[in-house]
Amino acid sequence: MPESLREIIYERMDILLSLAAQALKSGDEKYARRYVFLARKLSTRYNCRFSKKYRARFCKGCGLPSVLGLNTKVRLRKRTRTAEYLCSCGYAVHFKY
């Protein structure tokens, strides 16, 4: 796959995830889930992996974008040096920092 196509795909995924966050902040969960679904569909169709930055921006459990203070909490574990993102649906994602 040409590198320019990969850049376009990542740019579109970024746009879709930011639109999903805006839709969730305005209270429209239906559109937020749809935008996240489309971004995930792009990544699978063109075999482009989500980086850590993108993986922390949506919940795999419920399909909603992660908006801190609205539907997501962050816990920092000092001993293991991990960040734990907790969604309102109960799904948790762990990242090293």
Side-chain angles (χ1 to χ4, degrees), residues 36-89:
V36 170
F37 172 76
L38 289 174
R40 292 181 77 180
K41 193 172 180 180
L42 270 177
S43 71
T44 56
R45 178 174 288 163
Y46 294 103
N47 198 15
C48 295
R49 294 182 56 145
F50 280 110
S51 64
K52 283 185 182 179
K53 179 179 92 170
Y54 291 121
R55 276 186 277 156
R57 290 178 67 181
F58 66 91
C59 176
K60 285 185 177 180
C62 62
L64 283 176
S66 297
V67 178
L68 297 176
L70 190 62
N71 68 341
T72 305
K73 296 179 191 177
V74 178
R75 291 183 181 166
L76 298 177
R77 304 290 182 191
K78 200 169 191 178
R79 181 176 290 173
T80 58
R81 296 184 60 104
T82 58
E84 181 180 27
Y85 288 83
L86 296 168
C87 186
S88 59
C89 69

Side-chain angles (χ1 to χ4, degrees), residues 1-11 46-48:
M1 178 181 336
E3 201 61 36
S4 62
L5 180 63
R6 189 174 297 269
E7 290 173 8
I8 291 171
I9 292 166
Y10 280 120
E11 181 181 339
Y46 294 103
N47 198 15
C48 295

Side-chain angles (χ1 to χ4, degrees), residues 6-18:
R6 189 174 297 269
E7 290 173 8
I8 291 171
I9 292 166
Y10 280 120
E11 181 181 339
R12 288 184 181 169
M13 287 191 314
D14 187 40
I15 291 168
L16 283 169
L17 290 176
S18 63

